[in-house]
Amino acid sequence: MRLGLGTVQFGMPYGVSNNTGQPSLEEVRSILQVAASEGIKVLDTAASYGSSEEALGDAIVPGQSFSIVTKTPKFEAGLAPAGKAHLLTTTFHQSLLKLKRERVYGLLAHDPNDLINDDAPSVFAEMQKLKQAGLVSKLGVTVYTASQIDAVVERFAIDLVQVPVNVLDQRLIKSGHIAALKSAGIEVHARSLFLQGLLLIPPDDAPEYFSPITPRLTEFHQAARDQGLSAIHAALGFVLQNTQVDACIVGVNSAAELREIIAASKCVPGGAADFSSLACDDERFVNPARWVMHPQGQK
């Protein structure tokens, strides 16, 4: 199963199409039960995702074997390298306590700039200490752009990169960066498959902020209908058909939503649809961190 489960929703209301808010702990348990029974392994979380780590720690039951990926904390401007190292390690151990785990599968730099700026060597060295201690299996980074991938890979031997990929955001496919990462033996996790749910709602119901790309959204939904597919089928199929992606991270607010996504993933069309005309390079629309109308868009 190449689907992975994003868990930011477990810790805070999240997503442009989220009308239900944060799921209850009981619902989180139901979601994880469905995930475990269907062979989903990767759970993506972060220290900054509200109470997500605590929810996972409380909801995961014995016998559920998940590979948990968490992330480094946000560093305040002006914090010295030693201070960053201390905060990183302290936050990581707090994450283990919240998750009720002795170790995790992955630790990603949540802000790619932390592995690009002048303090990057000390930050990565601290991450390496955690790996050498057997507390984490794979180190990496979550990125937004090709230039960030280039800057990090040039400096550090990383194991895992989380990238945005969807029918609108095709930048890292077209630039060849996903293929290059895979060729280098670096694990690739794709996020934003549904662009926070934007791709799944009727174009006319999208917030006014997205009016400049309404024609693209309309074309996507029409293309899906022409193939006899739902928007979920079409959006999932676009990413799942890329065999260079190791895990496709999806976020849900309910077990019912996860079941729908899993069902769609099992009947992805054999022939890849041509969505090249939908590609958008404008970060104002493909990068949720730039969405002015959605201040918690940082992923």
Side-chain angles (χ1 to χ4, degrees):
M1 171 64 72
R2 289 170 60 215
L3 286 181
L5 185 61
T7 67
V8 61
Q9 290 93 333
F10 298 173
M12 62 177 70
Y14 181 85
V16 71
S17 65
N18 181 4
N19 296 316
T20 59
Q22 184 178 335
S24 66
L25 182 59
E26 181 180 358
E27 188 64 32
V28 172
R29 289 193 178 106
S30 297
I31 292 169
L32 293 180
Q33 183 177 6
V34 171
S37 66
E38 292 290 342
I40 289 176
K41 293 297 183 184
V42 175
L43 300 181
D44 178 77
T45 188
S48 62
Y49 288 174
S51 58
S52 172
E53 291 179 328
E54 292 97 327
L56 288 174
D58 290 337
I60 296 174
V61 300
Q64 292 180 341
S65 179
F66 291 115
S67 298
I68 299 177
V69 177
T70 191
K71 303 180 184 73
T72 59
K74 178 178 176 59
F75 300 120
E76 293 182 5
L79 187 63
K84 290 183 178 180
H86 176 73
L87 180 60
L88 189 155
T89 298
T90 300
T91 302
F92 177 79
H93 283 285
Q94 289 173 345
S95 292
L96 291 183
L97 289 173
K98 293 174 182 177
L99 291 164
K100 299 179 181 178
R101 289 291 179 271
E102 295 182 355
R103 62 188 61 83
V104 292
Y105 180 72
L107 176 63
L108 307 182
H110 205 158
D111 184 343
N113 292 316
D114 292 333
L115 294 186
I116 296 173
N117 61 30
D118 292 342
D119 294 339
S122 62
V123 170
F124 191 71
E126 201 66 20
M127 294 172 70
Q128 285 183 307
K129 289 179 183 178
L130 297 172
K131 181 179 180 180
Q132 291 162 358
L135 300 178
V136 58
S137 299
K138 297 200 172 188
L139 302 178
V141 62
T142 178
V143 300
Y144 294 90
T145 66
S147 61
Q148 291 169 343
I149 294 175
D150 292 338
V152 173
V153 171
E154 182 180 346
R155 301 182 72 179
F156 304 112
I158 58 174
D159 311 302
L160 172 61
V161 177
Q162 188 187 94
V163 299
V165 185
N166 54 68
V167 294
L168 293 187
D169 191 352
Q170 304 179 31
R171 294 172 297 165
L172 300 178
I173 296 174
K174 292 180 176 295
S175 67
H177 279 77
I178 290 178
L181 288 170
K182 189 64 176 176
S183 296
I186 297 173
E187 190 169 331
V188 178
H189 290 187
R191 69 173 188 275
S192 296
L193 277 66
F194 305 132
L195 201 53
Q196 284 198 18
L198 177 65
L199 294 172
L200 306 184
I201 59 180
D204 290 342
D205 292 342
E208 179 66 23
Y209 177 83
F210 299 103
S211 58
I213 60 169
T214 296
R216 283 186 170 89
L217 296 173
T218 301
E219 183 179 344
F220 165 66
H221 281 263
Q222 185 61 54
R225 286 193 295 270
D226 290 345
Q227 299 175 71
L229 303 174
S230 68
I232 287 179
H233 273 94
L236 268 179
F238 176 79
V239 184
L240 284 172
Q241 287 171 353
N242 187 330
T243 57
Q244 295 159 339
V245 172
D246 297 289
C248 299
I249 309 299
V250 297
V252 300
N253 294 308
S254 69
E257 287 182 3
L258 181 56
R259 290 190 188 97
E260 183 180 7
I261 290 172
I262 290 171
S265 74
K266 292 180 178 179
C267 52
V268 170
D274 182 9
F275 288 124
S276 58
S277 63
L278 304 182
C280 176
D281 295 335
D282 192 333
E283 283 205 42
R284 292 176 301 165
F285 304 113
V286 297
N287 183 351
R290 300 284 297 277
W291 292 356
V292 177
M293 42 65 65
H294 195 58
Q296 73 261 38
Q298 179 70 38
K299 174 72 170 68

